[in-house]
Amino acid sequence: PQLLMAVPQAPYLAFGGRLVTQLAYPTVLRWPSRAPFEVRIENIGATSGISEAALLEHFRPLGAVGCRLLPPTAEGGGPSRGATRRAVVTFRALNEVLRAVARPQDRVIGGVALECELGESGGEVAGSQCLSHSGSQSLGTQPRLSRMRLCLRALGLERLLLDEAEGWFARRPWEELLSAGEQQRFCIARLLYHGPSFALLDDCTSALPVGKELEIHSQLLKSWGITPITLSPRAFAPDFYTRELQLCVQESPRLWKLDDRRAPSSSAADDVVDGGGGGGAGDSPLGAGRVAAFEEDVAMGSARLEEAVAASLDVEDVVECEE
């Protein structure tokens, strides 16, 4: 899983990009380019009564030529009675597969919504088309469409998918169609899709109402297992963010100061870790041990961030940064 992902205040939306690639950015998506072309259907309820014949009848107008139900599997992967089932529907061409998964709201049989994903067609990545926003080819991954829909729904943006005739593959000038607040919500949905351990949020919800901002920071990210680190020129969510690192603090020799709000001091002095110097760590209300522990955490965190950044940059990126 990804360690860290940054979300800027001004969202990046590629001009005229497809909805699916906008949400997956910066990941390059991979599309199968050789037979067999398949759609994988997940989580068919064991009591839904959906048969192979019903699935084939549903997908045949889109070009399906075959269908097979896979044995039921329990959560651990083994066979089990009453567990959810999966199915694979086969098509002749890639464009038929894309039509089958483009509009998930149309994939309903007997009131049961089907979770449709691209099948692992063609066997090897070498036989796949990997296209970025610019059209360049490189190694990529297949989109997780069901997760993408959940992410849009969580931010109140599912209509972007449901209102489009081409669904996931609609091309629009999104940066013109979406308001500033909707663009910021879209980038939070992008963050949820990638699911990093930590999110570096550069004042990226400033265009949203205060209540929605607090909900995203204090509830939504936590429920998706993401730890937020927020950069902001304003005091923000003091009841949620228990530590505040202040930079460019002139009265501190190291120009930084850490406010720890988890254990407010009973004395008049602020419960603060100062950036060193002067009277030494022993003068801090938190004590020398906690100052040393914090400095060690900072060093370890810096090393992890440097490693993550280095892994995400290629040689051309480094040259551009140096220039």
Side-chain angles (χ1 to χ4, degrees), residues 111-129:
V112 178
L114 306 178
E115 293 186 15
C116 298
E117 303 282 355
L118 293 172
E120 291 291 340
S121 306
E124 301 177 358
V125 173
S128 303
Q129 298 174 356

Side-chain angles (χ1 to χ4, degrees), residues 103-300:
R103 289 174 50 86
Q105 67 270 33
D106 294 341
R107 307 282 74 84
V108 179
I109 298 179
V112 178
L114 306 178
E115 293 186 15
C116 298
E117 303 282 355
L118 293 172
E120 291 291 340
S121 306
E124 301 177 358
V125 173
S128 303
Q129 298 174 356
C130 306
L131 299 180
S132 65
H133 291 284
S134 63
S136 60
Q137 295 197 6
S138 60
L139 183 63
T141 60
Q142 291 190 170
R144 295 169 290 167
L145 300 177
S146 296
R147 181 179 177 90
M148 284 185 170
R149 187 178 184 183
L150 289 176
C151 296
L152 289 179
R153 184 181 299 163
L155 274 300
L157 294 173
E158 191 178 16
R159 64 173 179 80
L160 300 181
L161 169 65
L162 304 182
D163 291 349
E164 293 292 342
E166 297 181 1
W168 287 120
F169 307 105
R171 289 183 182 271
R172 293 287 183 269
W174 303 106
E175 69 287 351
E176 297 176 2
L177 293 178
L178 302 181
S179 67
E182 288 173 329
Q183 291 184 40
Q184 289 192 340
R185 281 190 286 149
F186 188 91
C187 286
I188 296 295
R190 180 187 286 165
L191 173 70
L192 298 186
Y193 174 69
H194 289 285
S197 299
F198 297 92
L200 189 62
L201 309 178
D202 186 5
D203 208 22
C204 64
T205 54
S206 57
L208 301 178
V210 174
K212 187 63 178 179
E213 250 191 319
L214 292 175
E215 178 186 342
I216 289 174
H217 285 258
S218 63
Q219 299 178 28
L220 184 62
L221 295 179
K222 182 179 180 181
S223 66
W224 284 71
I226 300 173
T227 300
I229 303 170
T230 295
L231 306 178
S232 179
R234 57 201 166 103
F236 179 71
D239 294 334
F240 174 68
Y241 286 100
T242 56
R243 290 181 177 179
E244 179 181 81
L245 178 62
Q246 300 179 17
L247 303 178
C248 299
V249 180
Q250 297 299 325
E251 61 269 22
S252 172
R254 294 186 183 178
L255 300 181
W256 60 260
K257 183 176 68 172
L258 178 72
D259 287 342
D260 192 335
R261 297 176 174 142
R262 295 175 304 168
S265 173
S266 59
S267 65
D270 291 333
D271 191 9
V272 166
V273 176
D274 200 342
D283 294 334
S284 167
L286 298 180
R290 291 187 61 183
V291 171
F294 167 70
E295 291 180 339
E296 182 179 352
D297 287 344
V298 170
M300 292 179 62

